[in-house]
Amino acid sequence: MFENTAFWVAIVTAAVVVFIIAKTAVIVPQQSAYVVESLGKYSRTLRAGFHILIPFIERPAYRHSLKEQATDVPEQICITRDNVQVGVDGVLYLQVLDPERASYGISDYVFAIAQLAQTTLRSEIGKIDLDRTFEERAVINANVVTELDKASEPWGVKVLRYEIRNINPPGDVLNAMEKQM
């Protein structure tokens, strides 16, 4: 009976040791960063490679990809300077540069930047006439990127590009434009 009990104690001890080692060793993949908290407070940022944490004291609280991310900006109605409503959607390209600020500077940086992109785009479209919206795409994109990059800098995120995907004027305006051609 004693031999059987010793066997189970050895198995439980081995399981606890394996569990502690699993909680201690962390492998961070390439182009990733883990933000480590020690007892709920920021401790350090782990870059790619093998790292040892203090079990039950330290934990990876946030995991960030340092790769460039593409985010869809849904279609929205914008009003041009000549009071024509157009539907505009786009794609936003961003990258996390500072994982600590991306973790603690804002709760959801992707959502926040997408919302800022929409409001900034409405503002930029409102400055020009409908005829020029198609010609001025590059200028609009550059202005949106400049404004978003300024706003997202405290969050540790860099906005790399914004591309307008579609500009959809209303059907009656399209018909008038076709007749004018």
Side-chain angles (χ1 to χ4, degrees):
M1 170 124 180
F2 179 72
E3 293 172 5
N4 197 16
T5 305
F7 174 74
W8 286 110
V9 168
I11 287 186
V12 169
T13 304
V16 169
V17 168
V18 168
F19 177 74
I20 290 174
I21 289 173
K23 294 288 270 179
T24 302
V26 175
I27 298 174
V28 180
Q30 186 69 30
Q31 288 296 322
S32 295
Y34 291 2
V35 175
V36 175
E37 288 182 350
S38 178
L39 298 175
K41 184 178 177 188
Y42 173 78
S43 173
R44 64 187 187 274
T45 301
L46 304 179
R47 300 293 176 165
F50 180 78
H51 302 277
I52 302 292
L53 300 179
I54 302 169
F56 307 110
I57 304 291
E58 294 182 324
R59 69 178 183 90
Y62 298 95
R63 301 170 198 274
H64 293 286
S65 172
L66 302 179
K67 298 175 187 173
E68 186 173 329
Q69 304 172 36
T71 303
D72 183 48
V73 178
E75 184 173 358
Q76 63 178 329
I77 300 298
C78 300
I79 300 174
T80 63
R81 191 169 70 182
D82 51 354
N83 290 324
V84 177
Q85 292 184 353
V86 293
V88 183
D89 65 343
V91 180
L92 188 62
Y93 298 90
L94 50 101
Q95 185 176 25
V96 173
L97 297 181
D98 186 344
E100 178 188 356
R101 291 192 305 177
S103 300
Y104 300 111
I106 192 162
S107 61
D108 186 355
Y109 62 85
V110 174
F111 175 76
I113 291 173
Q115 294 301 306
L116 275 171
Q118 287 184 316
T119 57
T120 305
L121 182 63
R122 276 197 298 270
S123 173
E124 291 297 320
I125 294 287
K127 294 176 185 175
I128 57 178
D129 294 328
L130 175 65
D131 296 342
R132 292 188 40 227
T133 56
F134 299 101
E135 302 165 5
E136 302 275 335
R137 273 186 152 164
V139 173
I140 294 169
N141 291 341
N143 290 344
V144 169
V145 167
T146 302
E147 291 301 315
L148 293 179
D149 202 33
K150 278 192 263 181
S152 66
E153 194 264 331
W155 305 332
V157 179
K158 173 104 174 117
V159 176
L160 303 169
R161 288 185 308 283
Y162 179 80
E163 294 294 329
I164 293 175
R165 193 175 355 195
N166 292 314
I167 299 176
N168 300 319
D172 57 338
V173 173
L174 277 175
N175 291 338
M177 289 170 80
E178 287 173 3
K179 288 178 184 176
Q180 186 181 16
M181 297 294 263

